[in-house]
Amino acid sequence: MKGLIIYKGKYGATRQYGLWLGDALGWPVIPAGSETTQQLLNADCIILGSSIYIGKLQLRKWLKQQENLIISKRLFLFLVSGTPLSDKEKLQGYLDANISKPLRNRCQCFFLPGKLEFSKLSWKDKLLLTIGSKLAGAKSDDISMEDYNDVKKEHLETILNAVGKLREVNV
Ligand SMILES: Cc1cc2nc3c(=O)[nH]c(=O)nc-3n(C[C@H](O)[C@H](O)[C@H](O)COP(=O)(O)O)c2cc1C
C-alpha cells in the first residue's frame, strides 16, 4: 500500500506530528502545495494534517482544490488545535464548517493537541489571537492566549493503530 502524508500548519505543531507519522510509517511527508499530481494519483492512502486558526483549517483551500483527486483514496485527517479534546462538539464543528460532506464521510478524523508560543507569533497572528480570544470570551468559549505545548508523540497512537489496521489488509 502506497501512503503519503500531506500537512499544512504555521508554527511547527502540525509539521511535527506529520514527521513523526512519516517516521513511524516510512511514508513521505510533504507540505501541502509541494506535492505533485502524480504523487497524489499514485497514493492508495493519504494522511492529511491541518491546524486551525480562528475556526478555519489551514488545509481548507487545498482540500477544496484537490477534493476530486483524493476522494477515492483511503483518507485519514488529523486536526491540530488549542481546543481541549474533551470539547467534542466544538471540534466536530470545525470539521463540519471546513470540509464538504462527501469528503468528511471519506475521512477518518483525529484531533490532536497543539502548542502556542505567543512571543513567536507574527504580529498579525498576535492581533488575531487577541481579538479572537476577546470575542470567544464574550461567548464563554475559549481560545487560549497562554503559552502551552502539548505536542507529544504518544498522541499519535490511535491514528497509527487505525492506519496499521488498514495496512494489515492492504499490503
Ligand atoms: C491566531 C491564532 C488563532 C487560533 N485559532 C484557534 C481556533 O480558532 N481554535 C483552536 O482550537 N485553536 C486555535 N489556535 C491554536 C492553534 O490551532 C494551535 O496553536 C496549533 O498548535 C497551531 O499549529 P501549527 O503550529 O501547526 O499551525 C489559534 C492560534 C493562533 C495563533
Side-chain angles (χ1 to χ4, degrees):
M1 188 176 72
K2 271 206 183 119
L4 196 61
I5 299 162
I6 306 264
Y7 71 92
K8 185 159 182 180
K10 271 190 170 182
Y11 297 98
T14 311
R15 178 170 181 270
Q16 178 63 78
Y17 282 125
L19 291 175
W20 279 330
L21 286 168
D23 259 6
L25 297 164
W27 290 359
V29 185
I30 307 171
S34 302
E35 77 287 342
T36 62
T37 303
Q38 202 53 47
Q39 277 175 311
L40 292 181
L41 285 170
N42 286 348
D44 307 302
C45 174
I46 305 177
I47 301 180
L48 303 157
S50 175
S51 51
I52 295 170
Y53 286 80
I54 313 292
K56 282 208 173 149
L57 259 65
Q58 284 280 292
L59 209 52
R60 183 185 162 111
K61 213 166 154 193
W62 186 93
L63 288 172
K64 245 189 197 159
Q65 285 165 350
Q66 304 295 355
E67 175 157 348
N68 289 340
L69 233 168
I70 62 170
I71 196 133
S72 58
K73 316 275 176 185
R74 301 304 298 252
L75 298 174
F76 295 86
L77 170 69
F78 67 90
L79 289 192
V80 183
S81 79
T83 299
L85 301 190
S86 55
D87 198 342
K88 294 198 168 64
E89 211 174 301
K90 188 168 170 193
L91 291 167
Q92 184 60 41
Y94 289 141
L95 290 177
D96 298 344
N98 284 276
I99 307 175
S100 76
K101 204 163 176 212
L103 194 55
R104 242 184 297 143
N105 290 340
R106 293 285 307 172
C107 286
Q108 223 177 312
C109 299
F110 299 83
F111 301 106
L112 301 174
K115 65 173 175 157
L116 185 80
E117 210 175 334
F118 193 82
S119 63
K120 295 221 170 125
L121 300 179
S122 67
W123 68 265
K124 205 175 153 193
D125 281 340
K126 278 183 184 149
L127 186 68
L128 269 178
L129 193 62
T130 309
I131 295 169
S133 78
K134 286 223 165 77
L135 288 176
K139 288 189 289 171
S140 71
D141 213 350
D142 62 331
I143 296 183
S144 177
M145 276 182 57
E146 306 262 310
D147 284 9
Y148 56 87
N149 186 352
D150 206 8
V151 178
K152 295 190 182 100
K153 226 181 196 171
E154 67 219 43
H155 296 312
L156 293 172
E157 225 168 87
T158 45
I159 184 165
L160 281 171
N161 278 339
V163 178
K165 274 192 195 125
L166 179 69
R167 275 178 132 186
E168 277 166 29
V169 286
N170 295 283
V171 186

